[in-house]
Structure formats: structure tokens, C-alpha cells
Amino acid sequence: MSLNPDLNGALTATTLLTKKILVAAGTQTGVGVDLTGYVGNLMIVLSSVGENTDGGATITYSLLDSADNTTFAALTTPTFAAVTSASSLLTVALDPKAVRKYVQFKALTASTTATFTTAAIMVGLQQRVGTN
């Protein structure tokens, strides 16, 4: 007998952006993630650590979506506040029914000198059919 009370799915964590280092005016974009089978809101967790001594360095995050995992367009929600602190941990919710089949994560720093290390994961309930 399974001890898992959820008979229809499994809590799944997926990497949106593996650990990346952004230097100066750098951009990092993750691969497309297929949202097929996810139910309910997904939680996106963003982490960044960087050298921000003057307060002028920022890192901004955005999500893009796509129907074919090739042509991506920026989403207007959820929104992420620009990060200006030396380290941050942000969480936002994403409704998989409100976006197309694939999502992609993007991080951008507008600094000329700062270095940020950043990563993002997505956690949600993904339906499993025929697995026991």
C-alpha cells in the first residue's frame, strides 16, 4: 500500500535555469520546459548571489512561453521585482493554464561591473497516469 495520499500525481521539481554566472551586462536563458500534465499553480523559486556594493547593479528576471518550444514570447505575468541586493530568494506562482505549452526562464543584469550567480527551479503537482 502506498503512503502517498495523492493518487493522481507527484510533486515534481524542474530546473528552469541551472546555476549561471552573469557578468557585467550578461543574459542567461534556460531551455524550454514542457508544462504538460501540471495541475494547479506552480511555484517558481529564484536565487541570486552577487557583488552589489554600490546599489547600482540589478538583475531582472522574466518568463517566456511558446507553443512549439522554438518561438518564445515574453509573459506579462508573473512579474519579478528587479533585484538590487547582494543576495535574494524570490518566489512567484504560475498558473500553467494561463500560458502556452512551454515556458523558458531569462535572467539579465544591466550592471557594467557586478557579477551575479543565479538559478531557478519550478515545483508543482504533475499528473502521472499508469505509474504504480
Side-chain angles (χ1 to χ4, degrees), residues 14-18 20 28-34 63-64 69 72 102-106:
T14 303
T15 300
L16 291 174
L17 185 69
T18 56
K20 299 289 183 183
Q28 292 290 336
T29 305
V31 299
V33 174
D34 188 347
L63 278 175
L64 302 91
N69 204 22
F72 285 86
Y102 298 91
V103 292
Q104 187 178 60
F105 184 77
K106 183 176 182 179

Side-chain angles (χ1 to χ4, degrees), residues 73 89 97 103 112:
L89 182 65
K97 295 180 286 187
V103 292
T112 56

Side-chain angles (χ1 to χ4, degrees), residues 4-12 37 39 124-129 131:
N4 183 357
D6 174 24
L7 302 176
N8 297 316
L11 192 60
T12 304
V39 293
L125 185 64
Q126 189 173 33
Q127 291 180 330
R128 305 281 190 206
V129 179
T131 59

